[in-house]
Each structure stands twice: as structure tokens, then as C-alpha cells.
Amino acid sequence: MANPNLMSLEDALSHLLSEAPVVTRVETVGLADSLGRVLAENHYVPADVPPADNSAVDGYALRKQDLHQDQAIPVSARIPAGEAPNALAPGTAARIFTGSEIPEGADSVVMQERVEVTDAGIIVRAEVTEGQNIRRRGQDLTRGDLALVKGTQVRPHEMGLLASMGVARVAVLARLKVAILSTGDELVDPGTPLAPGQIYNSNRFTLIGLLTQAGCEVALCETLRDKREATRETLLRAAESSDLIITSGGVSVGEEDHVRAVLEESGSLSLWRMAIKPGKPVAFGAIGGTPVLGLPGNPGSVLVTFLVVGMPYIRKCQGRNHEDPAGERIPADFSVASTSMRREFVRARKEPRGSELVVTAFPNQSSGILSSACWANGLAVIPENTTVSPGDLLTYYSFAELVS
């Protein structure tokens, strides 16, 4: 049974992704600075990689037909890596090293461990097959092939691949500029003594960490005071310098929750209240032409809604080619006796139980408890209108997968 007043997660994500504006600004960075950036163009292979046949081992390059049982083959050349070899003299072998170019006339490389060295030359003490231990030209990449597509997020592997093609500078999409606005007169910065009624602003730093991990640029960080006009002015100012505004708090139904009201009055509000737990009061709209994602104010809710709702939206805005997190199906090591009309994301972690892994939940799932997320390694999903018994299979997402 669904709650008709709440939007399902699937419908909310479909709406958000359809409204996500992809960053179009392009900048060029050195390859060493490209980690985590998103490629702004396709990369085609300019030349074969490797550019020539080369040896996969330290050993001896020879021609198989020159081998005769227990007869020594004279060594006529030494080929260090980085030097172009001369053609192999017939009936001889060449000392060769890993990565060295195969000389013309050789069709095999024998590992040095399979060779007996004598005054007369080498005696091969192993079976030899034509082509063994040779890495062929173009084995990794062939000239003209599409190596990396636009929208790929650069990992260390892509950095190495680009380097192997001789790429020194890379065109990438500009980082998504995000403004973080926290709401509440009770919020003070860490390092400031607390007065009665005050609390430290933890959401700001959770979001800074998540956005940095997601490859975004934090363009603005401010606290919104609980005044309607102050909220409106700050939102409009943030819209001028940001691609996205993320707020925490101010989107519920309280008299001091002004973010939702300002969006309705001075911008637009196209989503409010989702069927997830924690995180029902999630809002989405725009002001000054800039999208606004309004997250709840409780620390646990901020984390969950950012990972589950915010990250898919951000990935789309970043222009990234990214498959949805797949998760794992793991037996539960906890129980839930009562059902909910909302899909619940439980702060959890995987633990060994005998010969298998199980997913166990933090005992206190209150949306105000942030220590639960520090204990956890991910989120376990309890579907709507579902109870859980130990052994039931649940979908589990690691934090690393959700924010990747």
C-alpha cells in the first residue's frame, strides 16, 4: 500500500533526472590533474599501443625452426629496452629484456629460466611455440579505435591509458559548482562555544565531504537565518554563483521552515515529500534559474537523501556515463517487526557470520543520530510494507558505491 501524499523514489528520481542540466563548460587540465574529472570529448587511439612487437619477459629472442635438441644456439646480439634492434642473424638468438622490441626474423622469446647458458651459446630446455612471450603491436590499442568516450570519469586506470596514447593535457567538463546553505538560528560553527539552545552545524561538513568526494566544487557555504526575506536574499545570491544549491532543513511544515515557501513564492517547487525513511521532507525546485535540492535537517536524513537522491542528480549534471549502483543481496542479521509505507534505508554494515556474510543494522536508526553512519559501511534497503526476519535477503549498497 502506497501513501498517495508521498512521491515514490522512482518517480522522484525520474523527475529529477529529467530536469538535470548537464554542465557544458570545458577546461583543459594536465593529465596529472585529471583524476576524478569527466572527459569532455571522445579519445581515439593516435597510434598502435604497443607501437611494435615486444618481449613480455627477460630471455632470448630466436626463430623456432633454428632449434635443435641439445644443440647450442650462438647469441649474436643484446637488445636493451628503448633501442631499435637490427634484424636477427639466421641461426642465432638475441639476449632480450622485458619491453624490448622484437628483432626482425625472431618469432619466439624463451624465458631466461628455461635456458642453459654455455660457452657456445644457449641450450633451450623447454618446449617452444611460435609467438610465445611476444606482445604484439596494437595488442592493447589499435590506431583509430575509440579508447575512451565522452562522459567517462577519469580513474587512475584511465590516466594510465591516456598516458599510453601520449596524451599530456585533457579536455574535461568543469566541476559542478554547488552552494551549501544550512538553515537554523541554532546553528554555530565548530570551534565556537555553545550558548544555550545552540548546536554545531554538522550538516555543512557532511555535505562538504560528500560533494568533494563526488568531484564537485563548493562555491558557497552559509547559514540561513530563520527569516523569510533573509532566506530569499541568500538563495538568490547563491543562484548567481552556483550550478546547484543544496539546503539542509527549512523544507518541512514548521513556521520557521522558509526554504520551501521561498521557492513557491519566488521560484518554483516541483517536488516535495518522498516515500523514503529517513528523509520524507525532500524538496526540489529552482530559484533565479538555478536548481535547488532541499534536504531535511536531521543529520542522518541529510546523509541518506544525499546518497539516494542527490548523487544520481549530481552524476547526471556532471555529464557522467554511470550505471546505477547495483548493490548486493545479503542475508539480514536483524529483524523489523512493523511495516512502513515508506522505503527505509537502514544504516548498516556487512559482517562475517560463520562461512557467510550478513548485513547488520545499527541499533538506533533515529534520523538525528550521525554516529550510526560512522559505524556503518553502507545502507540496507527495506522495501515498503515489508517486515524483516534474520536470514531474509536485503539489498545492500556500500557508501563507496553510492557516492562513486
Side-chain angles (χ1 to χ4, degrees), residues 172-356:
V172 295
L173 296 177
R175 294 189 188 277
L176 190 72
K177 294 183 178 181
V178 184
I180 300 172
L181 303 179
S182 311
T183 67
D185 288 339
E186 75 280 10
L187 299 177
V188 296
D189 292 336
T192 304
L194 289 178
Q198 293 182 330
I199 58 173
Y200 289 121
N201 186 349
S202 62
N203 289 338
R204 171 185 295 178
F205 294 92
T206 298
L207 289 170
I208 287 174
L210 288 166
L211 289 166
T212 301
Q213 203 169 17
C216 299
E217 175 187 336
V218 177
L220 181 71
C221 251
E222 291 192 16
T223 298
L224 293 173
R225 294 305 165 196
D226 292 329
K227 297 289 185 291
R228 183 72 55 88
E229 282 309 309
T231 298
R232 191 187 332 274
E233 290 172 6
T234 306
L235 282 168
L236 287 169
R237 180 161 46 83
E240 295 176 356
S241 60
S242 308
D243 300 308
L244 171 66
I245 301 169
I246 295 181
T247 65
S248 61
V251 293
S252 192
V253 294
E255 293 180 5
E256 302 298 329
D257 292 323
H258 298 298
V259 171
R260 181 174 63 88
V262 168
L263 291 179
E264 290 178 320
E265 294 169 359
S266 302
S268 63
L269 182 69
S270 57
L271 184 155
W272 182 55
R273 292 166 57 90
M274 290 176 52
I276 63 173
K277 180 181 179 181
K280 179 172 66 175
V282 174
F284 178 74
I287 191 165
T290 298
V292 180
L293 179 62
L295 306 181
N298 283 318
S301 299
V302 166
L303 176 69
V304 170
T305 52
F306 180 92
L307 293 175
V308 175
V309 181
M311 271 309 305
Y313 181 83
I314 285 171
R315 283 192 288 265
K316 181 73 178 291
C317 292
Q318 289 174 323
R320 288 163 57 179
N321 301 326
H322 187 90
E323 295 182 359
D324 293 333
E328 304 174 74
R329 296 287 285 174
I330 303 178
D333 192 40
F334 61 94
S335 60
V336 177
S338 58
T339 64
S340 172
M341 290 187 291
R342 293 186 284 160
R343 189 174 309 175
E344 186 168 4
F345 291 86
V346 175
R347 282 142 280 171
R349 69 184 182 192
K350 295 190 293 185
E351 292 184 347
R353 289 289 185 274
S355 60
E356 68 174 0

Side-chain angles (χ1 to χ4, degrees), residues 332-338 346 359-361 363 382 386-392 394:
D333 192 40
F334 61 94
S335 60
V336 177
S338 58
V346 175
V359 59
T360 184
I382 302 175
T386 302
T387 60
V388 177
S389 299
D392 290 348
L394 296 178

